[in-house]
Amino acid sequence: MKKLILFLFLCCLLSSAFAQKEHHWQVKAGLHYANMIFHHLPFPNAITLYDSGRQVIGFQTGFGSGHFLYRLSPNVMIYREIQYKKWCNLLIGLGYRQRGYLASQGYGTAYGLLYPQGIPIKEDIETRLHYLSTDWVLKFNITKGFYAMAAGRADLLLHKKTSAIHEYITTTLTLVEVSPVITIGKQINLCDYELLIEFEVNRGLQNVSKIKPDFQSLPPTKVWNMSYGFNLGLRL
């Protein structure tokens, strides 16, 4: 909470410092494909154990590296844009961002008269992570309404929801994450406003997992957030 208050104070201070500069407001809404990339993540019940009659007798924990399935996630942001130079503007943003992923957990194979070859028994998993998001942005004006933006993003985890089988992941996530953002956009004149169309990539570099290895000889678990998608906005 102290970090959030300090951030808001710095936003107000910076806005005041540029009060005499030309400024605009931007409002953006986006849909992004969100996911998590992981290294040596433990998976309870990852390996199914069978007896000689192909009956399930238990499960064994496994470890894996890779990523989950992508999930479509929304975000809404408000920015204050301040002209710094003709070719470069500064933006400060605050809003809501959702992340997460899709996955499934297998529990073995069921056999019967109607399915002698067997059908998999699995549980679909949807994880939603709700963040208060802040952006500090450098906007570079290129030509003919095109621009590129490089940003530093700080996300504060507000709420998380997932299946019980994956709560061991969400309950060990860090509260704050800082990550870089790269954006390419197009500005289109629309009556008295300017329409913004953007493609954004946010590749997390910070390990957001605090899972401890079961044994000292095991490598640590590392998890990174990843998202990419489109924003649609208005420049006022």
Side-chain angles (χ1 to χ4, degrees), residues 103-107 120-126 162-166:
S104 63
Q105 173 67 52
Y107 293 100
I121 304 172
K122 65 177 184 177
E123 174 188 355
D124 292 328
I125 298 166
E126 181 178 16
T162 189
S163 300
I165 191 69
H166 270 205

Side-chain angles (χ1 to χ4, degrees), residues 6-71:
L6 177 60
F7 169 79
L8 295 176
F9 172 75
L10 291 175
C11 288
C12 295
L13 187 63
L14 187 58
S15 297
S16 301
F18 287 89
Q20 302 303 318
K21 299 280 187 177
E22 179 183 349
H23 64 270
H24 298 270
W25 289 98
Q26 293 187 11
V27 180
K28 300 178 186 178
L31 282 176
H32 291 191
Y33 281 102
N35 201 348
M36 275 188 168
I37 302 170
F38 52 84
H39 170 71
H40 210 74
L41 181 68
F43 289 100
N45 301 342
I47 303 172
T48 308
L49 304 177
Y50 300 91
D51 62 12
S52 58
R54 297 295 297 168
Q55 299 296 314
V56 176
I57 58 175
F59 301 95
Q60 180 178 331
T61 299
F63 298 87
S65 297
H67 61 80
F68 295 112
L69 301 176
Y70 282 89
R71 177 185 178 276

